[in-house]
Amino acid sequence: ETVEELLSITESTSFFDVKALDDMRYNIQEPSLEGHDVPLFDGMVRVYKPPVIGESYFMFTDPSDGVEDPMHSVVMHSRSNEGVCEVSGKVKADKGALIHDTLVRCYNEAYNTFEANAYAGAKFGETIKNLKTPNRASRRDIVTGKIIPEKEGWVTSGTSKDMVINGLEEAIRTKQFITHSRETIEQFKTIIKPEGEKPRTASRRGHDDAVMAWAGVLQ
């Protein structure tokens, strides 16, 4: 019912390491207002570092239907695991796919994929195929790691969701990546794990789009 109550809940049952999350705040910075030749799409795209010739990047998008949840994308430098660009906004899957395609091309044809769940995921996948987005990753079997022919995107449910969320938990605890986004860190702080339950947002109306985008790009 109050901010204080929410904070007391997240402090006591936080799924992610609270000290590590506090330490992440030292890397917070404001995004570039110019974009450095990266389109900002009315402020949804937040460029923290522009693409560098010769460097390689990964990109993952958690699509949206544009109504309740926002989309979230992360572009991560492949050697430093630094989030050089993040995207957040309530746009439909086809618009989100256009933004994704644009950023993939801007960041040196970043190796990329997306969360393929539900209608938004299917529409997003169809659109990036039609856009001929370069360097799209193939889907892999969650257990064997083998490529599944003619399939793309991550289906994050059950075992696969547990794996990516647990991977993100370890990456935060051991400080394996850098995000410059204040909003992303604040969202990490809302993920709790009450005893006997799976990780979830502290509020049933909360969002986990940044959580899933970071979990995906690290995988």
Side-chain angles (χ1 to χ4, degrees), residues 134-156:
N135 214 10
R136 303 193 307 274
S138 298
R139 184 179 300 178
R140 292 179 180 271
D141 183 273
I142 201 69
V143 177
T144 67
K146 292 182 178 179
I147 289 175
I148 302 173
E150 299 180 10
K151 294 286 187 180
E152 295 179 4
W154 281 74
V155 179
T156 51

Side-chain angles (χ1 to χ4, degrees), residues 3-204:
V3 172
E4 289 74 17
E5 184 180 9
L6 175 64
L7 290 174
S8 68
I9 292 171
T10 56
E11 285 288 325
S12 62
T13 62
S14 176
F15 181 60
F16 300 125
D17 187 283
V18 174
K19 175 64 165 57
L21 291 177
D22 286 339
D23 289 347
M24 291 176 98
R25 295 177 61 83
Y26 289 109
N27 291 310
I28 290 173
Q29 68 181 56
E30 294 301 315
S32 166
L33 296 178
E34 293 81 23
H36 301 284
D37 296 325
V38 178
L40 299 181
F41 288 92
D42 298 321
M44 286 188 293
V45 175
R46 296 158 190 172
V47 176
Y48 298 102
K49 288 192 176 177
V52 176
I53 294 172
E55 296 291 345
S56 60
Y57 301 90
F58 302 139
M59 183 172 182
F60 189 97
T61 294
D62 179 1
S64 165
D65 61 7
V67 179
E68 294 185 4
D69 293 327
M71 71 168 284
H72 200 97
S73 302
V74 174
V75 181
M76 185 178 78
H77 185 255
S78 66
R79 288 186 293 106
S80 65
N81 286 2
E82 179 182 14
V84 294
C85 180
E86 295 195 38
V87 182
S88 184
K90 285 189 179 180
V91 293
K92 292 189 179 295
D94 52 355
K95 176 67 177 292
L98 175 61
I99 296 172
H100 178 100
D101 176 81
T102 301
L103 293 179
V104 165
R105 296 174 191 276
C106 285
Y107 281 90
N108 303 343
E109 298 194 351
Y111 188 56
N112 66 98
T113 191
F114 61 98
E115 187 178 64
N117 294 16
Y119 172 79
K123 182 66 175 176
F124 183 97
E126 176 188 3
T127 306
I128 63 171
K129 281 185 180 178
N130 291 338
L131 290 169
K132 294 182 171 57
T133 302
N135 214 10
R136 303 193 307 274
S138 298
R139 184 179 300 178
R140 292 179 180 271
D141 183 273
I142 201 69
V143 177
T144 67
K146 292 182 178 179
I147 289 175
I148 302 173
E150 299 180 10
K151 294 286 187 180
E152 295 179 4
W154 281 74
V155 179
T156 51
S157 61
T159 301
S160 61
K161 185 167 185 177
D162 290 344
M163 188 189 82
V164 299
I165 291 294
N166 288 333
L168 178 60
E169 187 279 327
E170 180 181 3
I172 289 173
R173 176 167 37 86
T174 56
K175 302 179 181 180
Q176 293 179 25
F177 70 97
I178 296 169
T179 176
H180 297 296
S181 169
R182 184 186 310 276
E183 291 78 10
T184 289
I185 296 169
E186 292 306 314
Q187 191 177 111
F188 288 164
K189 287 187 171 184
T190 70
I191 303 302
I192 61 173
K193 188 181 183 302
E195 188 173 352
E197 297 184 27
K198 288 183 176 293
R200 62 171 175 83
T201 58
S203 167
R204 295 294 185 183

